[in-house]
Amino acid sequence: MTSSNPADTSVTAGSTAAGSTAAAPTGPRVVDVHAHAMPMPLLRSLADRGLADVSAVDQGIVRLDPKVSGVGPGAPLPLARSQHDVATRLVEMDAAGVDVHAVSLPPFLFATNADDAGFATGIVAQGNDELAGYVAGAPDRLVGLGYVPLGWPGVADEAVRVLDELGLAGIAIGSQGGGKDLDDPVNEDLWALLAERNTFVFLHPSGMPAGPRLKDYWMPQLVGYPMETAIAVARLVFSGTLERYPITLCLAHGGGCVPSLRGRMDMGWERKDVAHTNDHPPTHYTDRLYYDTAVFNTTVLSRIVQDVGVEHVLMGTDHPFELGDPTPRKTVGDLGLSEADTAAILGGTASRLLGLA
């Protein structure tokens, strides 16, 4: 989708955009836990620092410095208008039959590959400030998931600021950060905090393995992201992190490759001493996680529901990217579940986890 105006648009608290219809109170609340925003004040500020090119915003494109985006220099990144225009987002939400978006920044704004602590933490903090401003444009329809500077000392401090000062509903994390994996000791205080507070945490891949082998055919996102999620989760499992800290963790893209590795990881735990790191097999921990519905295949999604249970599957679309799900209610409806189970996936469970009234 393209933007016709680079200006920000917000709506008065409790209102809806012109031409949109208020979320219809017919049936259970529908909550999308996987939605993204790139607030224009953040992009303009980055441009002022020479870290972004916003000259093609009216064509729906932004270019970010690799230190911020983690992708190649000059790469055109899609910037749908709803990424920075609340009114447009509300129209799109109404069209999809979605009541609430849990909005997080996309991985292009995580500064995952930055090698300077001050730079990374500064970008993250500014991103959270602007995300809070964005969701405040429609507080009855939008909640924010603030990012944290993984891999850097003081990562838990930003989580406290996000939750207590900015008042966001939860935390978003990447799959790595600061040159370190999620199970690195530097992140230990973060996991302790999030487990203690029972905070909703959304894991979105922020890198990819295999480097040059994935450079063609859009494979970084089609293949790299699912692989990256599996690596990140496997490290959390085998390191004992999820045993020590039972965090409320939801995985983007249906967990990527995690569901298909269930048997293999359990087999390794049973047969390899080096992988027998916990009191329970890996599925004991992965079954406690939550998985969004953005897998684009009814059979695959049905298997996830079968494996982990209806209560651990949350509706997620990856809005507004082109690889997202434009008809999420149909996606869930096609599973053929009971009315109660369908309602749980559509938003009942997410409402509870996010503390929505």
Side-chain angles (χ1 to χ4, degrees):
M1 130 176 225
T2 61
S3 168
S4 59
N5 190 327
D8 303 284
T9 304
S10 62
V11 295
T12 303
S15 70
T16 56
S20 79
T21 304
T26 56
R29 175 192 278 137
V30 177
V31 181
D32 183 352
V33 301
H34 186 172
H36 296 297
M38 290 196 268
M40 190 58 67
L42 174 62
L43 299 180
R44 289 197 185 111
S45 176
L46 292 174
D48 290 343
R49 297 170 58 185
L51 298 171
D53 177 358
V54 295
S55 62
V57 165
D58 58 344
Q59 282 87 50
I61 290 172
V62 65
R63 292 177 171 85
L64 299 171
D65 188 286
K67 295 192 297 293
V68 176
S69 68
V71 301
L77 302 173
L79 183 66
R81 185 178 178 86
S82 55
Q83 293 263 33
H84 57 87
D85 184 332
V86 172
T88 300
R89 178 179 294 269
L90 297 182
V91 172
E92 294 170 355
M93 289 170 64
D94 290 345
V98 174
D99 299 310
V100 177
H101 268 180
V103 185
S104 55
L105 301 173
F108 309 128
L109 294 171
F110 288 178
T112 297
N113 297 332
D115 57 8
D116 177 83
F119 179 86
T121 56
I123 293 291
V124 168
Q126 185 179 9
N128 288 331
D129 290 342
E130 301 300 349
L131 179 65
Y134 180 89
V135 300
D140 57 335
R141 305 289 302 276
L142 308 178
V143 297
L145 305 177
Y147 189 67
V148 289
L150 294 165
W152 298 107
V155 60
D157 295 338
E158 181 63 11
V160 171
R161 192 181 78 90
V162 161
L163 298 171
D164 294 350
E165 295 183 24
L166 298 182
L168 299 185
I171 296 294
I173 61 172
S175 50
Q176 54 182 289
K180 302 178 181 68
D181 284 302
L182 297 185
D183 59 312
D184 189 278
V186 72
N187 296 317
E188 198 84 354
D189 288 347
L190 175 67
W191 309 135
L193 171 77
L194 298 178
E196 178 184 0
R197 294 195 176 200
N198 198 27
T199 301
F200 180 79
V201 184
F202 182 70
L203 191 160
H204 192 290
S206 56
M208 63 201 69
R213 295 186 68 200
L214 295 179
K215 67 182 179 65
D216 303 315
Y217 315 117
W218 211 254
M219 286 177 65
Q221 292 193 29
L222 297 179
V223 178
Y225 273 3
M227 294 169 60
E228 180 74 7
T229 298
I231 292 170
V233 172
R235 295 197 66 92
L236 288 175
V237 169
F238 286 113
S239 66
T241 302
L242 292 182
E243 183 166 73
R244 295 190 300 277
Y245 307 110
I247 58 177
T248 304
L249 182 62
C250 178
L251 308 180
H253 314 124
C257 297
V258 172
S260 64
L261 294 175
R262 291 168 56 87
R264 189 170 184 84
M265 289 198 296
D266 277 2
M267 177 268 293
W269 178 85
E270 292 171 357
R271 302 181 189 178
K272 292 292 184 179
D273 290 343
V274 70
H276 198 96
T277 52
N278 296 312
D279 293 336
H280 306 284
T283 50
H284 174 81
Y285 307 99
T286 59
D287 283 355
R288 293 191 327 214
L289 305 182
Y290 297 86
Y291 301 77
D292 81 9
T293 59
V295 298
F296 313 107
N297 182 284
T298 302
T299 300
V300 172
L301 185 56
S302 295
R303 184 53 192 263
I304 293 173
V305 171
Q306 178 182 344
D307 285 344
V308 302
V310 165
E311 66 277 11
H312 284 267
V313 179
L314 310 178
M315 197 192 80
T317 66
D318 214 343
H319 179 276
F321 287 106
E322 60 187 348
L323 297 183
D325 181 357
T327 57
R329 297 183 70 139
K330 181 179 184 301
T331 294
V332 178
D334 285 348
L335 294 172
L337 302 173
S338 70
E339 183 176 338
D341 286 349
T342 297
I345 294 176
L346 284 175
T349 303
S351 293
R352 174 177 57 82
L353 296 176
L354 290 165
L356 301 179

